[in-house]
Amino acid sequence: MRITRALSVAALALGLAAAPAAADSTPSASPTGEAAAPTKAGTSFRTATEIAQGQTATADGSAGDYLYWSFPADAGLRPTVRATVKLPEAHAAETWQVDVYDGLRRRQACRYGAQTRTAAQDASSVELSCTLRTVRAWSEPWAYDPLPGTYYVRLTAVGLPTSDRGLPIGAELRVDAREIGGAAAVDGSLAEPLVPGVALAGRDQQEESEESEEDTPSAVLSAVEPEDGWASGWWSDRWVWTAVGGALAALAGVGGYALTRGSGRPGRVPPGA
């Protein structure tokens, strides 16, 4: 009876502790209904168009252009970038490529996905994808691990034939992320996410006021960030499972004591003793 009761309490504790972990396993993405999806792309890192996870951005351009977008990625997420290039009716064989860079403009390797694809002659479109490694809350300075902050996406044609340069194209880009959780947790975090400057404000101020000759351009940080803010690795479901393990260990100790201590009743005296 006592063993059954102990097991029931352990199952209840396990269910209550695992509920927050299950709720947090769904990746947070900014709702697309609050803001319209971007309809243009930047032409450099500085002018990259900011998009939120879960949004489908579109842009029109010309073959040979460099198209740039930026998005936020926090610790514990595994982002996946998907791009579709709509090609003109008549064109030669073209090779398109999507590259992803972190906030330090280091090119990040794709864990899997078709990062480079060649569209056959007169093909209507080509689809690309790149799934990054899991974003870590902290890493060694010499490592190229993905870290929390702004990520840049560059879409362009590689080895474009001269006859196709300048032809109109359309692009669609979407970024989704999967929550990995405590499996990717590390003991450490960045002081600040890698969110570099994307514009220069001092130049405009200098044009308005020529009195100050010492006015120098200052970096303006990007406004793109996760919906719930930067976690920077302070929380993971590893805390939940650590608490569950401690609770189960305590219940196992109580159950073992109940089994080994005996009934506590005095021994039966044999007849005729």
Side-chain angles (χ1 to χ4, degrees):
M1 182 65 179
R2 294 175 180 175
I3 299 176
T4 303
R5 185 178 301 174
L7 292 177
S8 301
V9 174
L12 179 60
L14 180 62
L16 292 176
D24 293 340
S25 63
T26 303
S28 60
S30 298
T32 58
E34 294 184 357
T39 57
K40 64 178 181 179
T43 57
S44 66
F45 286 100
R46 289 183 178 274
T47 60
T49 299
E50 299 175 357
I51 64 173
Q53 294 178 14
Q55 281 187 328
T56 300
T58 59
D60 294 327
S62 301
D65 292 344
Y66 287 91
L67 304 180
Y68 286 83
W69 294 268
S70 65
F71 67 92
D74 208 352
L77 296 180
R78 183 178 296 169
T80 297
V81 178
R82 294 181 177 88
T84 301
V85 182
K86 298 180 180 179
L87 304 173
E89 295 181 358
H91 62 84
E94 298 179 1
T95 300
W96 286 82
Q97 180 172 309
V98 60
D99 297 306
V100 183
Y101 299 83
D102 64 6
L104 299 178
R105 299 186 185 180
R106 303 177 302 181
R107 184 175 180 271
Q108 293 294 321
C110 299
R111 183 172 182 176
Y112 52 84
Q115 182 181 7
T116 304
R117 270 187 173 177
T118 300
Q121 185 176 3
D122 298 336
S124 60
S125 63
V126 59
E127 296 182 356
L128 308 169
S129 66
C130 175
T131 298
L132 300 178
R133 295 171 294 168
T134 304
V135 179
R136 296 164 58 89
W138 179 87
S139 179
E140 295 288 348
W142 47 263
Y144 273 70
D145 296 324
L147 294 171
T150 301
Y151 282 77
Y152 296 93
V153 180
R154 184 180 69 183
L155 179 64
T156 187
V158 181
L160 187 68
T162 305
S163 59
D164 286 357
R165 292 186 179 275
L167 293 179
I169 58 98
E172 291 184 359
L173 187 84
R174 181 181 177 88
V175 179
D176 295 295
R178 177 186 175 190
E179 177 70 42
I180 302 302
V186 295
D187 295 330
S189 62
L190 297 180
E192 295 290 342
L194 301 179
V195 182
V198 295
L200 295 176
R203 183 176 305 170
D204 297 335
Q205 297 176 358
Q206 187 173 7
E207 293 177 355
E208 295 177 358
S209 176
E210 297 180 356
E211 298 178 358
S212 177
E213 297 180 355
E214 299 180 355
D215 186 17
T216 57
S218 59
V220 179
L221 294 182
S222 172
V224 60
E225 67 177 24
E227 181 184 4
D228 299 330
W230 297 103
S232 298
W234 73 272
W235 165 259
S236 71
D237 56 4
R238 189 168 60 173
W239 292 86
V240 176
W241 296 112
T242 300
V244 171
L248 292 178
L251 292 174
V254 173
Y257 175 75
L259 290 174
T260 57
R261 74 187 183 98
S263 62
R265 298 177 181 177
R268 186 176 181 182
V269 180

